Amino acid sequence: MRRFLLIPLLAGLSLLAGAAHALEFKSIGASPVVLYDAPSAKGGKLYVAPRGMPVEVILTYGTWSKVRDMAGDLSWVESKELVARRNVVVRAANAKIRATADESAAVVFSADKNVLLEMAEPASGGWLKVKHKDGQMGYVKASEVWGV
């Protein structure tokens, strides 16, 4: 009998957990930082993340955050090294950044794969307003970048 009562309870909890989970993206701060395999500076060093790199925050544990990078790899970083400023990385081979959020709009500039762009405005209607480090701004398809 207990087993029959436990199954609906677990199913309900898993639905709540799924509904409560929202993607949270942040960026590595002003300096490159070491990403670890555990929430401790004594953990194994995996690699150095460059400044501005977007990461998806999976969970926070004390002063550490477990993050996912563009490749899907999981690692740990001290939460203080993350900033709220949102950046995205171009996934497409040659993303066209347009003057307005429209496929027929003039191309302002093109961005190659792995170029870092700052998110100027949140995604709307499948488009994202971005800014290149040289100051150029425009709209890119959200499907062509990672970090949204």
Short mmCIF file of all heavy atoms in Angstrom, two decimals, residues 15-58:
data_model
loop_
_atom_site.label_atom_id
_atom_site.label_comp_id
_atom_site.label_asym_id
_atom_site.label_seq_id
_atom_site.Cartn_x
_atom_site.Cartn_y
_atom_site.Cartn_z
N LEU A 15 7.19 16.81 -11.13
CA LEU A 15 6.55 17.83 -11.96
C LEU A 15 6.80 19.23 -11.41
O LEU A 15 7.08 20.16 -12.16
CB LEU A 15 5.04 17.58 -12.04
CG LEU A 15 4.60 16.44 -12.95
CD1 LEU A 15 3.10 16.23 -12.82
CD2 LEU A 15 4.99 16.70 -14.38
N LEU A 16 6.71 19.38 -10.10
CA LEU A 16 6.98 20.68 -9.47
C LEU A 16 8.42 21.11 -9.70
O LEU A 16 8.70 22.27 -9.99
CB LEU A 16 6.69 20.62 -7.97
CG LEU A 16 5.23 20.74 -7.57
CD1 LEU A 16 5.10 20.54 -6.06
CD2 LEU A 16 4.66 22.07 -7.98
N ALA A 17 9.34 20.18 -9.56
CA ALA A 17 10.75 20.51 -9.75
C ALA A 17 11.01 20.96 -11.18
O ALA A 17 11.73 21.91 -11.43
CB ALA A 17 11.63 19.32 -9.39
N GLY A 18 10.40 20.28 -12.15
CA GLY A 18 10.57 20.65 -13.54
C GLY A 18 9.99 22.01 -13.84
O GLY A 18 10.55 22.81 -14.56
N ALA A 19 8.83 22.30 -13.27
CA ALA A 19 8.18 23.58 -13.53
C ALA A 19 8.93 24.73 -12.87
O ALA A 19 8.94 25.84 -13.36
CB ALA A 19 6.74 23.53 -13.01
N ALA A 20 9.56 24.47 -11.74
CA ALA A 20 10.26 25.52 -11.01
C ALA A 20 11.61 25.84 -11.62
O ALA A 20 12.18 26.88 -11.36
CB ALA A 20 10.43 25.11 -9.55
N HIS A 21 12.15 24.93 -12.42
CA HIS A 21 13.48 25.13 -12.99
C HIS A 21 13.43 26.12 -14.15
O HIS A 21 12.77 25.89 -15.14
CB HIS A 21 14.06 23.80 -13.46
CG HIS A 21 15.40 23.94 -14.09
ND1 HIS A 21 16.52 24.26 -13.37
CD2 HIS A 21 15.79 23.86 -15.38
CE1 HIS A 21 17.55 24.33 -14.19
NE2 HIS A 21 17.13 24.10 -15.41
N ALA A 22 14.09 27.21 -14.02
CA ALA A 22 14.19 28.19 -15.09
C ALA A 22 15.66 28.38 -15.42
O ALA A 22 16.50 28.34 -14.54
CB ALA A 22 13.58 29.52 -14.64
N LEU A 23 15.95 28.58 -16.69
CA LEU A 23 17.33 28.77 -17.08
C LEU A 23 17.86 30.08 -16.53
O LEU A 23 17.21 31.12 -16.64
CB LEU A 23 17.45 28.77 -18.61
CG LEU A 23 17.05 27.48 -19.31
CD1 LEU A 23 17.20 27.65 -20.82
CD2 LEU A 23 17.87 26.31 -18.84
N GLU A 24 19.03 30.02 -15.93
CA GLU A 24 19.67 31.22 -15.41
C GLU A 24 21.06 31.30 -16.03
O GLU A 24 21.90 30.43 -15.80
CB GLU A 24 19.78 31.19 -13.89
CG GLU A 24 20.46 32.43 -13.35
CD GLU A 24 20.70 32.39 -11.85
OE1 GLU A 24 20.48 31.34 -11.21
OE2 GLU A 24 21.13 33.42 -11.32
N PHE A 25 21.28 32.32 -16.82
CA PHE A 25 22.58 32.52 -17.43
C PHE A 25 23.27 33.71 -16.77
O PHE A 25 22.64 34.70 -16.45
CB PHE A 25 22.45 32.78 -18.93
CG PHE A 25 22.10 31.55 -19.72
CD1 PHE A 25 20.78 31.23 -20.00
CD2 PHE A 25 23.10 30.70 -20.17
CE1 PHE A 25 20.46 30.10 -20.72
CE2 PHE A 25 22.78 29.56 -20.90
CZ PHE A 25 21.46 29.26 -21.18
N LYS A 26 24.56 33.56 -16.60
CA LYS A 26 25.42 34.65 -16.12
C LYS A 26 26.68 34.61 -16.97
O LYS A 26 26.82 33.77 -17.85
CB LYS A 26 25.75 34.47 -14.64
CG LYS A 26 24.54 34.67 -13.73
CD LYS A 26 24.94 34.73 -12.28
CE LYS A 26 23.72 35.06 -11.43
NZ LYS A 26 24.07 35.23 -10.04
N SER A 27 27.61 35.51 -16.67
CA SER A 27 28.87 35.54 -17.41
C SER A 27 30.03 35.55 -16.43
O SER A 27 29.90 36.02 -15.30
CB SER A 27 28.94 36.80 -18.28
OG SER A 27 27.91 36.80 -19.23
N ILE A 28 31.17 35.05 -16.90
CA ILE A 28 32.40 35.14 -16.13
C ILE A 28 32.74 36.63 -16.05
O ILE A 28 32.57 37.36 -17.02
CB ILE A 28 33.54 34.35 -16.81
CG1 ILE A 28 33.16 32.87 -16.96
CG2 ILE A 28 34.84 34.52 -16.06
CD1 ILE A 28 32.93 32.12 -15.66
N GLY A 29 33.22 37.07 -14.91
CA GLY A 29 33.51 38.49 -14.67
C GLY A 29 34.65 39.06 -15.48
O GLY A 29 35.01 38.54 -16.54
N ALA A 30 35.28 40.10 -14.96
CA ALA A 30 36.29 40.88 -15.67
C ALA A 30 37.61 40.15 -15.90
O ALA A 30 38.39 40.53 -16.76
CB ALA A 30 36.55 42.19 -14.93
N SER A 31 37.86 39.08 -15.13
CA SER A 31 39.11 38.34 -15.26
C SER A 31 38.83 36.87 -15.55
O SER A 31 37.82 36.34 -15.09
CB SER A 31 39.92 38.42 -13.96
OG SER A 31 40.21 39.76 -13.66
N PRO A 32 39.73 36.20 -16.27
CA PRO A 32 39.57 34.76 -16.47
C PRO A 32 39.58 34.04 -15.11
O PRO A 32 40.22 34.51 -14.16
CB PRO A 32 40.81 34.38 -17.29
CG PRO A 32 41.26 35.65 -17.92
CD PRO A 32 40.90 36.73 -16.95
N VAL A 33 38.86 32.93 -15.01
CA VAL A 33 38.80 32.17 -13.76
C VAL A 33 38.97 30.68 -14.02
O VAL A 33 38.67 30.18 -15.10
CB VAL A 33 37.47 32.40 -12.99
CG1 VAL A 33 37.33 33.83 -12.57
CG2 VAL A 33 36.29 31.96 -13.80
N VAL A 34 39.44 29.99 -13.00
CA VAL A 34 39.60 28.54 -13.07
C VAL A 34 38.27 27.88 -12.76
O VAL A 34 37.57 28.27 -11.82
CB VAL A 34 40.67 28.06 -12.06
CG1 VAL A 34 40.75 26.53 -12.04
CG2 VAL A 34 42.02 28.67 -12.39
N LEU A 35 37.90 26.90 -13.56
CA LEU A 35 36.71 26.09 -13.30
C LEU A 35 37.19 24.75 -12.75
O LEU A 35 38.17 24.17 -13.22
CB LEU A 35 35.91 25.88 -14.58
CG LEU A 35 35.34 27.17 -15.19
CD1 LEU A 35 34.55 26.87 -16.44
CD2 LEU A 35 34.47 27.92 -14.21
N TYR A 36 36.48 24.26 -11.73
CA TYR A 36 36.89 23.07 -10.99
C TYR A 36 35.89 21.92 -11.17
O TYR A 36 34.75 22.14 -11.55
CB TYR A 36 36.98 23.40 -9.50
CG TYR A 36 38.05 24.41 -9.17
CD1 TYR A 36 37.76 25.78 -9.17
CD2 TYR A 36 39.35 24.02 -8.86
CE1 TYR A 36 38.73 26.72 -8.86
CE2 TYR A 36 40.32 24.95 -8.54
CZ TYR A 36 40.00 26.31 -8.55
OH TYR A 36 40.98 27.23 -8.24
N ASP A 37 36.34 20.72 -10.79
CA ASP A 37 35.46 19.55 -10.85
C ASP A 37 34.67 19.34 -9.56
O ASP A 37 33.88 18.41 -9.46
CB ASP A 37 36.25 18.29 -11.20
CG ASP A 37 37.27 17.89 -10.14
OD1 ASP A 37 37.41 18.59 -9.12
OD2 ASP A 37 37.94 16.86 -10.35
N ALA A 38 34.88 20.19 -8.57
CA ALA A 38 34.19 20.10 -7.28
C ALA A 38 34.06 21.51 -6.71
O ALA A 38 34.80 22.41 -7.11
CB ALA A 38 34.99 19.22 -6.32
N PRO A 39 33.13 21.72 -5.77
CA PRO A 39 32.95 23.06 -5.20
C PRO A 39 34.00 23.39 -4.14
O PRO A 39 33.70 23.60 -2.97
CB PRO A 39 31.54 22.98 -4.59
CG PRO A 39 31.37 21.55 -4.25
CD PRO A 39 32.11 20.78 -5.30
N SER A 40 35.26 23.44 -4.58
CA SER A 40 36.36 23.73 -3.68
C SER A 40 37.60 24.08 -4.50
O SER A 40 37.84 23.49 -5.56
CB SER A 40 36.67 22.50 -2.81
OG SER A 40 37.90 22.66 -2.14
N ALA A 41 38.39 25.01 -3.99
CA ALA A 41 39.65 25.35 -4.67
C ALA A 41 40.64 24.19 -4.60
O ALA A 41 41.64 24.19 -5.31
CB ALA A 41 40.25 26.61 -4.05
N LYS A 42 40.34 23.20 -3.76
CA LYS A 42 41.17 22.01 -3.67
C LYS A 42 40.76 20.96 -4.70
O LYS A 42 41.42 19.94 -4.84
CB LYS A 42 41.09 21.42 -2.27
CG LYS A 42 41.70 22.32 -1.22
CD LYS A 42 41.59 21.71 0.16
CE LYS A 42 42.18 22.66 1.20
NZ LYS A 42 42.03 22.15 2.56
N GLY A 43 39.66 21.22 -5.41
CA GLY A 43 39.20 20.30 -6.45
C GLY A 43 40.13 20.31 -7.64
O GLY A 43 41.03 21.16 -7.75
N GLY A 44 39.90 19.40 -8.56
CA GLY A 44 40.71 19.34 -9.78
C GLY A 44 40.41 20.52 -10.69
O GLY A 44 39.25 20.88 -10.89
N LYS A 45 41.45 21.13 -11.21
CA LYS A 45 41.29 22.25 -12.13
C LYS A 45 40.96 21.70 -13.52
O LYS A 45 41.73 20.90 -14.06
CB LYS A 45 42.55 23.10 -12.17
CG LYS A 45 42.84 23.78 -10.84
CD LYS A 45 44.14 24.55 -10.88
CE LYS A 45 44.40 25.17 -9.51
NZ LYS A 45 45.69 25.88 -9.48
N LEU A 46 39.84 22.13 -14.08
CA LEU A 46 39.43 21.64 -15.39
C LEU A 46 39.96 22.51 -16.52
O LEU A 46 40.58 22.02 -17.44
CB LEU A 46 37.90 21.56 -15.46
CG LEU A 46 37.25 20.60 -14.47
CD1 LEU A 46 35.74 20.68 -14.54
CD2 LEU A 46 37.72 19.18 -14.75
N TYR A 47 39.70 23.82 -16.45
CA TYR A 47 40.22 24.75 -17.44
C TYR A 47 40.00 26.18 -16.98
O TYR A 47 39.32 26.42 -15.99
CB TYR A 47 39.61 24.52 -18.83
CG TYR A 47 38.13 24.79 -18.96
CD1 TYR A 47 37.67 26.02 -19.41
CD2 TYR A 47 37.19 23.81 -18.68
CE1 TYR A 47 36.32 26.27 -19.55
CE2 TYR A 47 35.83 24.04 -18.83
CZ TYR A 47 35.40 25.28 -19.28
OH TYR A 47 34.07 25.52 -19.42
N VAL A 48 40.58 27.11 -17.70
CA VAL A 48 40.42 28.52 -17.38
C VAL A 48 39.36 29.09 -18.32
O VAL A 48 39.48 28.99 -19.55
CB VAL A 48 41.75 29.29 -17.54
CG1 VAL A 48 41.53 30.78 -17.32
CG2 VAL A 48 42.79 28.75 -16.58
N ALA A 49 38.32 29.66 -17.74
CA ALA A 49 37.25 30.28 -18.52
C ALA A 49 37.63 31.73 -18.79
O ALA A 49 38.00 32.45 -17.87
CB ALA A 49 35.94 30.21 -17.75
N PRO A 50 37.52 32.17 -20.04
CA PRO A 50 37.86 33.57 -20.36
C PRO A 50 36.82 34.55 -19.82
O PRO A 50 35.65 34.18 -19.62
CB PRO A 50 37.88 33.58 -21.89
CG PRO A 50 36.96 32.48 -22.29
CD PRO A 50 37.08 31.42 -21.21
N ARG A 51 37.23 35.77 -19.61
CA ARG A 51 36.30 36.80 -19.13
C ARG A 51 35.15 36.93 -20.12
O ARG A 51 35.33 36.80 -21.34
CB ARG A 51 37.01 38.12 -18.92
CG ARG A 51 37.45 38.76 -20.19
CD ARG A 51 38.15 40.05 -19.95
NE ARG A 51 38.52 40.60 -21.26
CZ ARG A 51 39.08 41.73 -21.43
NH1 ARG A 51 39.39 42.48 -20.41
NH2 ARG A 51 39.36 42.16 -22.63
N GLY A 52 33.97 37.15 -19.57
CA GLY A 52 32.79 37.35 -20.40
C GLY A 52 32.09 36.09 -20.88
O GLY A 52 31.00 36.16 -21.43
N MET A 53 32.72 34.93 -20.68
CA MET A 53 32.13 33.68 -21.17
C MET A 53 30.77 33.43 -20.51
O MET A 53 30.66 33.47 -19.30
CB MET A 53 33.05 32.50 -20.87
CG MET A 53 32.53 31.17 -21.40
SD MET A 53 33.67 29.82 -21.04
CE MET A 53 32.86 29.12 -19.60
N PRO A 54 29.72 33.19 -21.31
CA PRO A 54 28.43 32.90 -20.70
C PRO A 54 28.40 31.48 -20.14
O PRO A 54 29.01 30.57 -20.70
CB PRO A 54 27.44 33.05 -21.86
CG PRO A 54 28.24 32.80 -23.08
CD PRO A 54 29.64 33.24 -22.77
N VAL A 55 27.70 31.31 -19.03
CA VAL A 55 27.50 30.00 -18.42
C VAL A 55 26.07 29.90 -17.93
O VAL A 55 25.45 30.91 -17.58
CB VAL A 55 28.47 29.73 -17.25
CG1 VAL A 55 29.91 29.61 -17.73
CG2 VAL A 55 28.36 30.79 -16.17
N GLU A 56 25.55 28.69 -17.92
CA GLU A 56 24.22 28.45 -17.35
C GLU A 56 24.42 27.98 -15.92
O GLU A 56 25.14 27.01 -15.68
CB GLU A 56 23.50 27.37 -18.16
CG GLU A 56 22.14 27.03 -17.60
CD GLU A 56 21.50 25.85 -18.30
OE1 GLU A 56 22.07 25.30 -19.26
OE2 GLU A 56 20.40 25.48 -17.86
N VAL A 57 23.83 28.66 -14.97
CA VAL A 57 23.95 28.28 -13.57
C VAL A 57 22.95 27.16 -13.30
O VAL A 57 21.75 27.33 -13.46
CB VAL A 57 23.70 29.48 -12.64
CG1 VAL A 57 23.77 29.04 -11.18
CG2 VAL A 57 24.70 30.59 -12.91
N ILE A 58 23.48 26.01 -12.89
CA ILE A 58 22.66 24.83 -12.61
C ILE A 58 22.19 24.83 -11.17
O ILE A 58 21.02 24.59 -10.88
CB ILE A 58 23.43 23.53 -12.91
CG1 ILE A 58 23.94 23.53 -14.37
CG2 ILE A 58 22.58 22.31 -12.62
CD1 ILE A 58 22.88 23.63 -15.42
#
